[in-house]
Amino acid sequence: MTDVFACARAQIYYNSKRKPLAQVKRETGCSHIINGYLFNGSFQPVGWTVIDGKVISRDAYQDWGISIGSDGTPKMLTDRGGSFLSGVPLLKAGAKLHRDLTPDVARSAARTAVGWLPNGKICLWCDKASLTREQLQNKLLGLGVVDALMLDGGGSTQGIFPKGKVTSSRKVPTLLLFWERKAETAV
């Protein structure tokens, strides 16, 4: 399942109460929701997670992630001010990026990703079909995506979009919420 849309704002949601996506979507009124990044057996995010300036978790790396500033606009940056969530960098300026991955992340698996098109629109990818990183990179490039991050996959892959959903019974500690910008109508 993919969706491309103009994003009015986004939010990184720390799901410490282990709520299902549908409940968070109802409570927040977001138009799109997907699982976030990797976490450990203690339900703690790994990688960098910063929400409204509060550091939830960190790692030794200073790589790309989804950064949301005070204007609520999501961008692929390394800036950890405001709100930030780590991801595996896939594409930057239309070029494939390569990072060494652990075998459990590198394997062919269900995938979740967020990407940016040249016109500023967001592309969300959430699919149970098993893909390698390179296959996902190729699919995103085929959709016109120029910058992209891979999020947690496998059994964590889940999302709810206006035109469909991908479900999982797994609770995840970080979620990405998006509010679609609605087209203005002339009066």
Side-chain angles (χ1 to χ4, degrees):
M1 178 174 66
T2 60
D3 198 5
V4 175
F5 61 97
C7 182
R9 70 181 178 102
Q11 177 185 344
I12 298 165
Y13 184 94
Y14 186 38
N15 191 20
S16 59
K17 296 192 175 168
R18 301 178 188 229
K19 297 176 183 178
L21 268 68
Q23 180 180 349
V24 174
K25 187 174 182 309
R26 272 192 316 275
E27 290 174 0
T28 63
C30 64
S31 59
H32 299 71
I33 184 170
I34 58 173
N35 60 277
Y37 194 55
L38 305 171
F39 59 99
N40 63 26
S42 299
F43 205 68
Q44 295 300 311
V46 299
W48 280 91
T49 305
V50 181
I51 298 176
D52 297 327
K54 180 181 178 196
V55 176
I56 307 298
S57 63
R58 66 178 74 216
D59 62 25
Y61 306 103
Q62 295 291 319
D63 214 342
W64 302 99
I66 185 166
S67 180
I68 304 170
S70 60
D71 66 355
T73 304
K75 295 183 173 88
M76 184 173 161
L77 299 171
T78 58
D79 179 11
R80 282 151 176 75
S83 293
F84 182 90
L85 185 66
S86 289
V88 175
L90 293 175
L91 305 171
K92 191 65 182 163
K96 291 181 183 180
L97 299 176
H98 178 81
R99 299 294 188 269
D100 291 331
L101 301 175
T102 59
D104 61 318
V105 177
R107 68 183 167 80
S108 183
R111 298 288 180 198
T112 305
V114 60
W116 290 264
L117 279 71
N119 63 6
K121 288 187 176 182
I122 298 290
C123 176
L124 296 182
W125 179 280
C126 186
D127 200 327
K128 291 287 187 178
S130 289
L131 298 173
T132 63
R133 170 184 43 201
E134 185 171 10
Q135 289 170 326
L136 180 57
Q137 287 170 319
N138 292 336
K139 297 249 185 210
L140 292 170
L141 284 168
L143 293 170
V145 172
V146 292
D147 295 341
L149 297 163
M150 183 170 69
L151 302 168
D152 196 2
S156 296
T157 300
Q158 54 193 301
I160 304 172
F161 301 175
K163 295 179 183 172
K165 63 183 175 178
V166 173
T167 60
S168 171
S169 61
R170 184 176 290 177
K171 304 294 189 282
V172 295
T174 57
L175 305 169
L176 286 173
L177 286 56
F178 300 88
W179 285 261
E180 184 173 2
R181 177 174 287 119
K182 298 296 181 188
E184 295 182 29
T185 56
V187 180

